[in-house]
Amino acid sequence: QQPVQSPQAVILREGEDAVINCSSSKALYSVHWYRQKHGEAPVFLMILLKGGEQKGHDKISASFNEKKQQSSLYLTASQLSYSGTYFCGTEKRGGATNKLIFGTGTLLAVQP
Amino acid sequence: DAGVIQSPRHEVTEMGQEVTLRCKPISGHDYLFWYRQTMMRGLELLIYFNNNVPIDDSGMPEDRFSAKMPNASFSTLKIQPSEPRDSAVYFCASSLLADSPLHFGNGTRLTVT
């Protein structure tokens, strides 16, 4: 079942923060986050496996709630390079297979 | 490492023709995935392999689609006969293990007229 992402699109000024959410109706095994720039392939950002987990690098971080049904991606002090479409990919319980079902994506545009 | 290599980058063909897309995964990766991306349906998983064995092909839309992985360094996705609704970007991705990142190739943009 496809995860639900919100918002569908967001426009930011450089330096502003954004949060992208990914929700599932059932508990998950894992959630991945990817960024795709126009005309390019999706690029891996991070993977979360444990309920309550939080991880991040630079100014991009993510969380996975205790019930493992919701994940959020946090982008702080956004830069122009953050522009793109962000996808969460979820694996249902019973993994590990890396069989990911991707959400519909969130288009992020960072303006000067 | 060269990453996942897909060919061709672009393919334009007429309805009814056979189309073969090719993928070379990253060396040593155990998993290989074929995804299709369209504006309407987003990123759809078509099929995936583990150690060259097809594990789940439930996403393959019709019998017109077939995929093979004859060895650890090569996979093909074939559409025969092709139809205009098959027009999409087809991505191949590989991962070292389960629970590890997917590395995507640059994709093949297929246009069926």
Side-chain angles (χ1 to χ4, degrees):
Chain A
Q1 193 166 4
Q2 188 176 41
V4 176
Q5 279 189 241
S6 63
Q8 286 186 312
V10 59
I11 300 174
L12 300 174
R13 295 280 186 194
E14 269 188 296
E16 292 182 337
D17 302 340
V19 180
I20 300 171
N21 299 304
C22 176
S23 296
S24 170
S25 58
K26 296 184 178 181
L28 300 165
Y29 177 78
S30 70
V31 63
H32 295 218
W33 286 97
Y34 292 80
R35 177 172 61 209
Q36 184 179 29
K37 293 186 179 287
H38 184 68
E40 299 181 7
V43 174
F44 173 78
L45 294 175
M46 63 190 77
I47 178 174
L48 299 108
L49 293 165
K50 299 176 184 177
E53 183 176 10
Q54 294 192 40
K55 62 165 54 173
H57 52 85
D58 293 333
K59 295 171 184 174
I60 300 177
S61 61
S63 63
F64 201 9
N65 74 345
E66 288 288 345
K67 289 186 176 181
K68 301 183 76 175
Q69 287 182 260
Q70 182 165 345
S71 178
S72 296
L73 185 71
Y74 307 93
L75 302 119
T76 58
S78 58
Q79 308 167 14
L80 294 176
S81 62
Y82 287 3
S83 293
T85 302
Y86 289 78
F87 294 96
C88 65
T90 58
E91 183 175 2
K92 67 180 184 180
R93 266 182 162 176
T97 62
N98 245 8
K99 176 185 172 182
L100 299 181
I101 307 300
F102 283 92
T104 51
T106 296
L107 179 62
L108 177 72
V110 181
Q111 298 178 341
Chain B
D1 199 323
V4 175
I5 299 173
Q6 289 187 248
S7 64
R9 288 298 309 273
H10 302 274
E11 176 80 42
V12 180
T13 191
E14 292 184 347
M15 183 173 62
Q17 297 297 307
E18 177 179 298
V19 175
T20 300
L21 311 181
R22 297 172 176 80
C23 175
K24 177 179 168 57
I26 293 173
S27 178
H29 279 197
D30 284 346
Y31 289 84
L32 184 139
F33 306 84
W34 282 100
Y35 281 90
R36 176 171 70 176
Q37 187 174 36
T38 60
M39 287 294 294
M40 291 297 295
R41 301 173 71 91
L43 268 167
E44 299 175 273
L45 176 64
L46 300 177
I47 185 171
Y48 81 96
F49 296 82
N50 180 21
N51 292 321
N52 313 338
V53 176
I55 302 300
D56 187 339
D57 65 354
S58 59
M60 296 285 262
E62 299 171 34
D63 291 345
R64 299 184 295 107
F65 286 69
S66 62
K68 294 182 180 179
M69 193 165 185
N71 56 62
S73 59
F74 184 65
S75 177
T76 58
L77 178 68
K78 186 178 292 187
I79 309 173
Q80 165 65 16
S82 57
E83 296 182 3
R85 60 190 165 130
D86 301 331
S87 297
V89 179
Y90 290 80
F91 286 104
C92 174
S94 69
S95 69
L96 181 63
L97 301 166
D99 300 346
S100 59
L102 267 62
H103 297 261
F104 285 82
N106 286 327
T108 294
R109 181 173 295 277
L110 174 66
T111 303
V112 184
T113 60

